Structures are given as structure tokens and as C-alpha cells.
């Protein structure tokens, strides 16, 4: 059951209910819940003789870590071409912008596919989406294995395209898995672990390709190194696909929270994906979050995609250190994500935390921009780490804040809209920053991103903190204890809580 409220606070609510009990009209007119969800909540929590059972299963950790693993394998491939941009340019005899598209294809495919995939997630559930994601990712890796020849760039691009389609089935999952499997005191941490896998994959994508594929002069030797890298990826993807088939479960038999119990009671016949989208688009606070999330994550995508070009321009021959700097950005962000997730579970200060992290992302990018050309790599490592801690740490904050603002709408739909915004801004920022760097310098390109982060910080300050999921859990507990109140047995109340 929900433990996010103190015993004293709950008993105080029970006491207050003697003096002023809200009427049915007040409950049904609550603007924070849809009509269907409100009705279901009343039936569940006020008119039943016993509260709905909730339970946490140990398997929830297996599910979230398995998801993180195949998410890792997919996100690793997003950056594996871009971080050794100059090597793949020479191997396939293509220009820099073409290799940039090996990363941007992940962003482009997401935009048209997210809406049908979100619909599929709502209709078919977590297991079907997980199976499709793992299968597509596995298929893409084996296509790449066949592309390790200088004349087969279209084949390697098709393999990357297949993996990019798999990503569409992955990015919207963390908040959905957290809500379906985890308790109210764990949802933010669980979401952070889900995002953690994606970030760790990017970190490995920064680190491993420069090590496995050194900048050899002989193309045959280079092809052998590339083939080894592709085989390793394919082996891991195949193993994870088999695990998903065997282990991944749709949902626990008993829901983990009262809010999830109420959500399960919404009849599928009463749910409309189109109506859900319309409600989300009318939610002003959520739309502002969609914009600010897109600006922040779009900046991260641009910096990651163009990192090799930035470092090589100021530090020629430092391909391996470019990868290590990317690794530093993401590892620091993973730490930031976990810290922010734990903090949210304890404090529930969604807007304040989001705004603080957003502001520090801006500060981090400014520091990175002005220290990149100082000639000291150790300084770049420090500023890049500070940037990553906040910019990458923002990812799970956006997911969880969106779920709070949009409850009881599907977590997959809200996450999908956030990620769609990020992909759009990611493509725009990557292309624009690349052109600015070509025409001017890296400082101008990074300051271009800083301007949009400043705009995002201002908009974030304007978002209204309307925590609907927290309100739903609050109302559920109040209704439960109101039903127990006539027994006038404090020991029974304590036993129920414990």
C-alpha cells in the first residue's frame, strides 16, 4: 500500500472527515481525474467493504533490469558510428553529414512511429512491446554483421534503421514499467533504473567503438575490426532477445498501488487512444513540459552526435579520449538520474527538482562551451562531467513529472509525446549546430544550444505543479480510512498500516 503519507497525517484525515465529509458532487467534479477514473475510484475505495489488495513482487526488479539491458544494447548502437565519425567516413567513403544521419535516423524514425506504437502499448501491453523491441534490435545487429565492407554502406544503414525502429518500442517503457510493477515509494527510482540502461548503453557506445575499431590505414584490417564489433553486438542482442521471450511478464497478478488498482478498473471499452491524446494536448502544464523536455534532451542529442567533431577539431588524433569524454558525460548523468529518482521518491518535489536540474544543465553547457578550446583535456573532462550530471540526469525527471501531470492517462502515451518532442528538437539542433560549426566554430555552435536551454529554463518555471497521481493515492487512502473509522479501533488501524 501507499506509504508516502505519515500515520499522523492519515489519522488526522480520518478525524477531519467527522467534521466535514465531502459530498458525492465534490468528488465527481474533481478536475484532476477523468470522469471514468473518478467513478472507478469511488466504487473501489468507498463502497467496498475492504480496500483493494496491493502487493509488491520480487520479480519487479528482474523485469526492470531486463528492460534496462535490452535498452542498453539498443542505445549503444545509436552512437557507435558517430563517436568514430572520421573512421567510418573513410571506410565507407561518405561525408561527415552522412555519418551524422546514422545517429539522427534514431530520431527521425521515432516521430511518425511513436503514435501507433503508443496505441499498441495501450492495447497489447508491456510484453508484446518488449518482444517486438528485442526482436527488431536483434535483427538489426545481424544485418550490420553483413555490412562490414566498404561498398556496403546501404546495408549498414538499413541495419541501423532497423535498430532505430526498435528504439521506438523502448523509449516510452520506463515510466509504464514503474507504474505497473512498483510501489508509490519506488516509482521514480524504478523509472530512473529504466532510463539508466539507456544511458549506460550510450556510455558504452562512447567508450567501446574507439577501442574496438582503431584508426588503421589498411581497409582490410579496418573491416576486420568493424566486423568484430558488429559480431559482439549481435551476440549480446540475441542473448537478450531469448531472455525477454522466457522471462518478461506483462504485469503482476495483484497491483502494487491503489492508483494502479483504480487504473485497472477503467474498462477497455471506455478507453479511447484518440481521446487520450486530445486530453493531453489540452493539458497546458503538460504541453509546456513537452516543449522544455524536447529542448533539453534535443541539446543532449546534438552534443552527443557532434562530440567527435568538437574534440577532434581542438585535439587532433584524440578519438579515444573523445569517447572517454562522452563516457564521462553519460556516467555522470547516470549518477544524477539515480540521485534525482531517489530524491523524488522521498520529497515528491517534482517541479522544484526539475527546475533546479534544468538551470544547472544550462550552467554546465556554458562552462563546457567556454572551456573546450583551452587546450587542457582534463578541464574538458570536468566540465563535460558536470554537464552530463544535470543534462542526462534530467531524463527520468521529465518522465515522472509527466506521469504526475497527466494521471490517469497512459504512461506510454505521455512518455511518447515527450520523446517525440526530443527527437524533433534533436534533429533540428544537430543539423543547425553542425552547420554553425562548419561556418563559424564550436563555441558558436554550443552557444546556440545555450540560448535554447535558457528559454527552456524560463518555460519550466511557468509549469503549474499539478500532481494528480499523488492526489489519487491521497484520496484512496483517505477513503480507506474513512471506511475503517466506524470501527473506532486504533489498533486495527495500526495493524492495517503495518
Amino acid at each position: 500500500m501507499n506509504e508516502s503519507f505519515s500515520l499522523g497525517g492519515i489519522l488526522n484525515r480520518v478525524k477531519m472527515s467527522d467534521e466535514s465529509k465531502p459530498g458525492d458532487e465534490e468528488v465527481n467534479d474533481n478536475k484532476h481525474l477523468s470522469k471514468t477514473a473518478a467513478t472507478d475510484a469511488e466504487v473501489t475505495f468507498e463502497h467496498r467493504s475492504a480496500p483493494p489488495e496491493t502487493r509488491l513482487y520480487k520479480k519487479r526488479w528482474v523485469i526492470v533490469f531486463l528492460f534496462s539491458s535490452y535498452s542498453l544494447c539498443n542505445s549503444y548502437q545509436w552512437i557507435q558510428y558517430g563517436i568514430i565519425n572520421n573512421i567510418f567516413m573513410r571506410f565507407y567513403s561518405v561525408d561527415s553529414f552522412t555519418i551524422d544521419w546514422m545517429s539522427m535516423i534514431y530520431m527521425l524514425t521515432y516521430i511518425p512511429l511513436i503514435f501507433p506504437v503508443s496505441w499498441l502499448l495501450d492495447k497489447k501491453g508491456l510484453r508484446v512491446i518488449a518482444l517486438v523491441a528485442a526482436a527488431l534490435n536483434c535483427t538489426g545487429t545481424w544485418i550490420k554483421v553483413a555490412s562490414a565492407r566498404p561498398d556496403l554502406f546501404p546495408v549498414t544503414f538499413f541495419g541501423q534503421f532497423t535498430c532505430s525502429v526498435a528504439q521506438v518500442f523502448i523509449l516510452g517503457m520506463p515510466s509504464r514499467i514503474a507504474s505497473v510493477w512498483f510501489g508509490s515509494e519506488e516509482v521514480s527510482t524504478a523509472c530512473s533504473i529504466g532510463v539508466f540502461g539507456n544511458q549506460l548503453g550510450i556510455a558504452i557506445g562512447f567508450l567501446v567503438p574507439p577501442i574496438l575499431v582503431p584508426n588503421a590505414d589498411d581497409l582490410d584490417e579496418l573491416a576486420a575490426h568493424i566486423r568484430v564489433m558488429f559480431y559482439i553486438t549481435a551476440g549480446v542482442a540475441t542473448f537478450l532477445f531469448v531472455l525477454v521471450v522466457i522471462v518478461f511478464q506483462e504485469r503482476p497478478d495483484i497491483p502494487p498501488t491503489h492508483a494502479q488498482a483504480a487504473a485497472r478498473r477503467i474498462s477497455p471499452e471506455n478507453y479511447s487512444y484518440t481521446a487520450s491524446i486530445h486530453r493531453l494536448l489540452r493539458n497546458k502544464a503538460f504541453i509546456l513540459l513537452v516543449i522544455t523536455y524536447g529542448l533539453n534532451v534535443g541539446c543532449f542529442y546534438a552534443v552527443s552526435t557532434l562530440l567527435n567533431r568538437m574534440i577532434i577539431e581542438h585535439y587532433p588524433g584524440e578519438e579515444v579520449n573523445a569517447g572517454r569524454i562522452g563516457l564521462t558525460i553519460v556516467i555522470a548523468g547516470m549518477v544524477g538520474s539515480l540521485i534525482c529518482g531517489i530524491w523524488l521518491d522521498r520529497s515528491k518535489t517534482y517541479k522544484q527538482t526539475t527546475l533546479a536540474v534544468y538551470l544547472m544543465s544550462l550552467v554546465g553547457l556554458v562552462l563546457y562551451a567556454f572551456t573546450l578550446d583551452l587546450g587542457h583535456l582534463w578541464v574538458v573532462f570536468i566540465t563535460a562531467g558536470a554537464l552530463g550530471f544535470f543534462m542526462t540526469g534530467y531524463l527520468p525527471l521529465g518522465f515522472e513529472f509527466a506521469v504526475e501531470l497527466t494521471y490517469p492517462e497512459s504512461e506510454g502515451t505521455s512518455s511518447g509525446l515527450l520523446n517525440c518532442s526530443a527527437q524533433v528538437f534533436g534533429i533540428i539542433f544537430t543539423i543547425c549546430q553542425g552547420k554553425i560549426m562548419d561556418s563559424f566554430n564550436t563555441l558558436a555552435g554550443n552557444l546556440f544550444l545555450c540560448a535554447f536551454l535558457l528559454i527552456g529554463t524560463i518555460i519550466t518555471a511557468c509549469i503549474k505543479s499539478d500532481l494528480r497521481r499523488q492526489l489519487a493515492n491521497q484520496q484512496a487512502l483517505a477513503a480507506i480510512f474513512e471506511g475503517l473509522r466506524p470501527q473506532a479501533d486504533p489498533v486495527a488501524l495500526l495493524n492495517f498500516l503495518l
Side-chain angles (χ1 to χ4, degrees):
M1 63 173 295
N2 188 351
E3 299 173 357
S4 61
F5 306 96
S6 67
L7 173 60
I10 294 173
L11 293 177
N12 187 47
R13 285 180 176 276
V14 175
K15 180 179 179 181
M16 291 173 61
S17 67
D18 281 333
E19 303 171 3
S20 176
K21 180 177 179 180
D24 291 338
E25 184 178 353
E26 292 178 15
V27 175
N28 289 330
D29 287 341
N30 190 332
K31 67 179 181 179
H32 298 295
L33 293 173
S34 69
K35 181 178 180 180
T36 303
T39 303
D40 286 335
E42 290 170 28
V43 172
T44 302
F45 299 125
E46 291 188 16
H47 299 301
R48 290 182 61 179
S49 59
E53 182 183 1
T54 61
R55 181 183 299 177
L56 293 178
Y57 293 83
K58 292 181 180 179
K59 190 174 182 178
R60 69 191 188 279
W61 298 109
V62 176
I63 298 295
V64 74
F65 279 110
L66 178 56
F67 165 77
S68 292
S69 298
Y70 72 77
S71 175
L72 177 156
C73 184
N74 180 264
S75 61
Y76 156 79
Q77 298 174 79
W78 168 59
I79 204 65
Q80 73 176 154
Y81 292 90
I83 196 57
I84 47 177
N85 183 296
N86 55 321
I87 296 175
F88 277 112
M89 283 172 56
R90 184 165 61 85
F91 182 74
Y92 287 117
S93 300
V94 295
D95 60 18
S96 176
F97 187 64
T98 302
I99 298 299
D100 288 344
W101 269 108
M102 298 298 282
S103 296
M104 289 192 288
I105 190 64
Y106 264 61
M107 308 174 204
L108 183 63
T109 54
Y110 190 90
I111 297 169
L113 293 178
I114 181 52
F115 295 105
V117 170
S118 295
W119 176 85
L120 193 63
L121 175 61
D122 290 335
K123 292 297 183 182
K124 299 298 182 180
L126 288 171
R127 177 171 168 81
V128 169
I129 298 300
L131 287 171
V132 174
L136 285 171
N137 189 60
C138 179
T139 302
T141 59
W142 284 107
I143 293 173
K144 291 182 188 180
V145 167
S147 71
R149 274 176 27 196
D151 60 331
L152 293 180
F153 179 77
V155 177
T156 206
F157 188 85
F158 180 66
Q160 186 75 342
F161 168 76
T162 305
C163 293
S164 74
V165 175
Q167 178 219 213
V168 185
F169 290 82
I170 292 173
L171 287 186
M173 292 271 278
S175 57
R176 181 63 170 265
I177 290 174
S179 294
V180 169
W181 280 92
F182 288 82
S184 59
E185 291 292 305
E186 304 170 329
V187 286
S188 296
T189 302
C191 185
S192 296
I193 293 173
V195 176
F196 182 94
N198 185 274
Q199 295 170 331
L200 183 57
I202 297 172
I204 296 173
F206 279 123
L207 179 66
V208 172
I211 296 173
L212 292 179
V213 186
N215 196 358
D217 294 329
D218 182 64
L219 287 184
D220 290 335
E221 180 185 351
L222 198 55
H225 291 307
I226 292 173
R227 191 174 293 109
V228 168
M229 179 176 70
F230 287 160
Y231 266 118
I232 293 173
T233 309
V236 172
T238 303
F239 173 71
L240 291 172
F241 172 62
V242 172
L243 279 183
V244 170
V245 172
I246 297 173
V247 174
F248 203 95
Q249 183 179 329
E250 170 65 29
R251 67 182 188 181
D253 295 331
I254 300 174
T257 63
H258 297 300
Q260 185 61 212
R264 287 191 184 187
R265 286 173 172 79
I266 299 177
S267 172
E269 290 76 17
N270 292 334
Y271 176 79
S272 167
Y273 179 72
T274 304
S276 177
I277 292 290
H278 288 164
R279 286 192 295 270
L280 290 175
L281 294 179
R282 291 195 300 268
N283 186 328
K284 293 181 180 179
F286 175 67
I287 292 301
L288 291 179
L289 181 62
V290 167
I291 295 171
T292 57
Y293 185 89
L295 291 173
N296 190 301
V297 181
C299 287
F300 169 69
Y301 288 162
V303 169
S304 299
T305 302
L306 301 172
L307 183 63
N308 175 269
R309 292 174 58 184
M310 294 185 206
I311 300 302
I312 296 300
E313 178 176 333
H314 296 289
Y315 306 92
E318 295 287 355
E319 291 92 353
V320 174
N321 272 323
R324 290 171 180 165
I325 290 170
L327 174 69
T328 302
I329 290 175
V330 180
I331 292 295
M334 289 159 56
V335 175
S337 294
L338 290 177
I339 291 175
C340 290
I342 294 170
W343 170 253
L344 282 185
D345 279 333
R346 293 179 179 274
S347 69
K348 308 300 181 185
T349 54
Y350 289 87
K351 178 180 176 178
Q352 298 90 324
T353 305
T354 301
L355 180 59
V357 170
Y358 212 113
L359 178 61
M360 294 308 298
S361 297
L362 171 61
V363 173
L365 187 55
V366 170
L367 291 175
Y368 171 79
F370 282 101
T371 58
L372 184 59
D373 60 352
L374 293 182
H376 302 291
L377 269 174
W378 65 270
V379 175
V380 180
F381 272 95
I382 293 174
T383 56
L387 171 64
F389 182 88
F390 295 105
M391 182 174 281
T392 315
Y394 173 79
L395 297 176
L397 291 179
F399 281 147
E400 282 302 296
F401 197 13
V403 174
E404 290 292 338
L405 293 175
T406 60
Y407 180 86
E409 306 297 346
S410 167
E411 298 87 353
T413 306
S414 60
S415 298
L417 289 172
L418 288 182
N419 283 316
C420 187
S421 173
Q423 314 308 317
V424 171
F425 282 112
I427 293 174
I428 295 172
F429 288 166
T430 301
I431 294 174
C432 291
Q433 187 183 14
K435 297 299 182 183
I436 292 172
M437 288 168 56
D438 291 339
S439 302
F440 299 96
N441 52 41
T442 56
L443 177 60
N446 285 321
L447 290 179
F448 164 79
L449 298 182
C450 289
F452 284 97
L453 278 184
L454 176 60
I455 294 172
T457 303
I458 295 171
I459 297 176
T460 299
C462 299
I463 298 176
K464 181 181 178 182
S465 185
D466 183 12
L467 307 183
R468 301 182 179 188
R469 183 172 60 179
Q470 296 303 313
L471 178 63
N473 277 320
Q474 232 177 4
Q475 291 175 334
L477 284 174
I480 289 171
F481 283 100
E482 182 180 330
L484 293 175
R485 176 179 47 79
Q487 299 173 10
D489 185 357
V491 175
L493 290 177
L494 286 171
N495 288 335
F496 180 74
L497 278 170
L498 300 176

